[in-house]
Amino acid sequence: MKVRAHPIVRGALALSGLLLIVLGLLWSSVVLGAEGSGLRLEHLVRASPVELGTVAVVSVPLLVVGVVRVARAALFGVNCTGTEVRVHKVMWTRRVPIGRITEIRRTWTGKFDLRWESAEGWPRRTRVPAFSLPLTTGWLVRQWLEPYNDQCVAALREWIEQERSIGSGADPHP
């Protein structure tokens, strides 16, 4: 089962990545003196070590983070397999075995956490950012996103319960 963030959220994530890419390229062109002629390889070849260092320290991280955000926007959500739940976040993925999941809980801030236990038995939690809204989200955006998020979390809960009952040998549909 795949449950993805709302298209508005994924679009905003991709747009923020594109913005970071543009900022990285703009910074490079300003530092290398290529504002009017466009950024080309010859600008890098003729650049001083200080200019190259400045581009490497500022532009390269902006470009890398921007590309990762754009690429991961399509994955942003939860992917469930027969053995684990993969929570695809903005920059990385958390894999949680189904047998260790204890619950999915909405926190007092309105965000969703996947609660689970480590191999040693310690309680752990993984935020599910694809279905979590910041407290500062306006009511207009919230009215579009909350029903979709609640529906996705309900489907995820149902799938986890079904997989747990199959794994324990109980009949999932009595």
Side-chain angles (χ1 to χ4, degrees):
M1 177 179 82
K2 293 181 183 180
V3 187
R4 299 288 176 240
H6 195 282
I8 291 173
V9 174
R10 288 185 286 148
L13 182 60
L15 188 62
S16 70
L18 288 174
L19 180 65
L20 290 173
I21 292 170
V22 168
L23 286 173
L25 291 174
L26 279 172
W27 178 263
S28 296
S29 65
V30 167
V31 168
L32 299 175
E35 297 101 342
S37 62
L39 190 58
R40 293 189 303 269
L41 185 59
E42 66 188 53
H43 292 107
L44 287 172
V45 172
R46 288 187 285 139
S48 71
V50 172
E51 292 171 333
L52 288 176
T54 305
V55 167
V57 167
V58 177
S59 292
V60 172
L62 285 172
L63 293 171
V64 169
V65 171
V67 167
V68 169
R69 288 177 78 95
V70 168
R72 291 193 55 93
L75 291 176
F76 196 53
V78 177
N79 192 15
C80 302
T81 66
T83 59
E84 66 185 7
V85 173
R86 293 184 195 136
V87 180
H88 297 281
K89 298 182 178 191
V90 175
M91 298 298 281
W92 62 83
T93 299
R94 165 73 75 186
R95 290 175 169 85
V96 180
I98 293 172
R100 296 196 180 147
I101 297 174
T102 56
E103 68 178 323
I104 299 174
R105 181 189 303 179
R106 179 177 280 197
T107 66
W108 66 273
T109 60
K111 298 181 179 185
F112 286 100
D113 285 346
L114 184 65
R115 302 283 177 138
W116 55 287
E117 290 182 355
S118 67
E120 297 80 25
W122 290 96
R124 304 281 309 257
R125 71 176 177 86
T126 298
R127 176 72 32 96
V128 184
F131 310 124
S132 298
L133 296 176
L135 288 174
T136 57
T137 303
W139 68 270
L140 187 60
V141 174
R142 192 173 287 279
Q143 78 179 8
W144 282 336
L145 297 180
E146 268 188 347
Y148 179 84
N149 290 350
D150 291 341
Q151 179 184 13
C152 290
V153 170
L156 182 60
R157 276 188 184 119
E158 181 180 320
W159 185 88
I160 290 170
E161 288 301 319
Q162 180 181 359
E163 289 298 313
R164 262 198 263 165
S165 63
I166 290 172
S168 66
D171 184 12
H173 307 287

